[in-house]
Amino acid sequence: MARLALGPANRRPAVRTAAGLPVLVVGDPIEWTAVVGIPLAASPGEAEVQVGTAGEAHRIAYAIAPKRYAEQRLTVAPKTVDLSAADQARYERERDHQAGVMATFSDPVPAELAMAVPVPGRRSSSFGLRRVFNGQARNPHSGMDIAAATGTPVRAPVPGTVIDTGDYFFNGGTVWLDHGGGLLSMYCHLSRIDAKVGDRLATGDAFCAVGATGRVTGPHLHWGVMLNRTMVDPALFIEA
Ligand SMILES: [Zn+2]
């Protein structure tokens, strides 16, 4: 994640990634700041955002530093690594559906970025780990795992609106929240979902419960945070 100073302006500047995705801009007319999610797969080197609309846009460059994440080897049910044709088709449907959820970009933008931890517990593995399931390399870990017993209530870390609920092949029972400005959060492997699409949550509202559904080795909450359709490290948002 990068925070880019945009300077003063009467109105909130429109900022897009090089790929054209809208970027969260926080602040006030004295000083605006773009908060950009950087994909784990991004190449180190120079990157940029576009500020303003076509014709009068200018670029702000920033540097992506290399970062090497640790490797994590896990043993899970074989059918969750070598998918059957039916499971592969199910996964692809769910991936396409959730791509639509991830494109959510709503007003207003969040009043603040500091978040509370959604469940108390040990953070059992961290963002960015390169994961090897049953000896096969898979996507890196794109969220924070918090160990907690099945049934532990999960609480909204900031105000948000429920934009998706489902039972997905890898993620199990899942809820997505929209916090505005492309800042989304997801909660996975749930045993219970107590909210429905459209529900508005205040900070601290319980809306689902920890479980062990989907591809897991035991009960925990997988918590993901997304900016400009890019999963970023939830630890960056946790209140000091
Ligand atoms: Zn996880």
Side-chain angles (χ1 to χ4, degrees):
M1 189 168 89
R3 292 171 183 263
L4 308 175
L6 303 175
N10 287 336
R11 284 192 298 173
R12 186 184 306 272
V15 176
R16 291 185 175 271
T17 66
L21 300 175
V23 168
L24 174 64
V25 176
V26 297
D28 55 45
I30 305 297
E31 179 65 61
W32 298 103
T33 301
V35 187
V36 190
I38 301 171
L40 274 165
S43 303
E46 191 168 277
E48 63 179 30
V49 294
Q50 284 214 357
V51 183
T53 44
E56 51 189 70
H58 67 278
R59 301 165 195 279
I60 294 183
Y62 61 98
I64 299 175
K67 181 162 180 174
R68 182 80 173 162
Y69 293 95
E71 184 179 281
Q72 181 185 37
R73 303 185 82 87
L74 298 163
T75 303
V76 295
K79 68 176 170 34
T80 67
V81 179
D82 296 304
L83 272 57
S84 68
D87 285 341
Q88 179 69 27
R90 175 186 167 187
Y91 158 70
E92 289 175 9
R93 278 196 309 277
E94 295 173 354
R95 179 196 59 194
D96 293 349
H97 166 74
Q98 290 189 90
V101 174
M102 294 175 196
T104 303
F105 193 96
S106 70
D107 285 326
V109 303
E112 56 175 330
L113 298 181
M115 296 187 181
V117 179
V119 292
R122 187 173 58 88
R123 293 170 208 161
S124 51
S125 81
S126 63
F127 184 83
L129 285 177
R130 293 173 296 119
R131 294 185 305 174
V132 180
F133 287 97
N134 302 356
Q136 298 187 47
R138 288 294 184 269
N139 286 336
H141 190 240
S142 61
M144 174 187 286
D145 287 346
I146 306 175
T150 293
T152 305
V154 178
R155 299 179 185 281
V158 280
T161 301
V162 178
I163 52 171
D164 190 60
T165 66
D167 177 17
Y168 298 125
F169 184 77
F170 289 119
N171 292 335
T174 297
V175 176
W176 282 87
L177 302 183
D178 172 24
H179 309 292
L183 179 64
L184 312 179
S185 59
M186 75 184 302
Y187 306 82
C188 303
H189 312 310
L190 306 172
S191 60
R192 209 179 66 235
I193 295 173
D194 303 320
K196 60 183 188 310
V197 171
D199 285 356
R200 290 171 166 276
L201 304 174
T203 303
D205 283 352
F207 63 97
C208 57
V210 173
T213 55
R215 183 167 68 183
V216 294
T217 56
H220 70 279
L221 176 70
H222 173 98
W223 179 31
V225 175
M226 177 165 269
L227 278 171
N228 49 268
R229 300 191 213 178
T230 299
M231 286 295 182
V232 295
D233 189 355
L236 297 169
F237 298 84
I238 292 177
E239 294 170 323

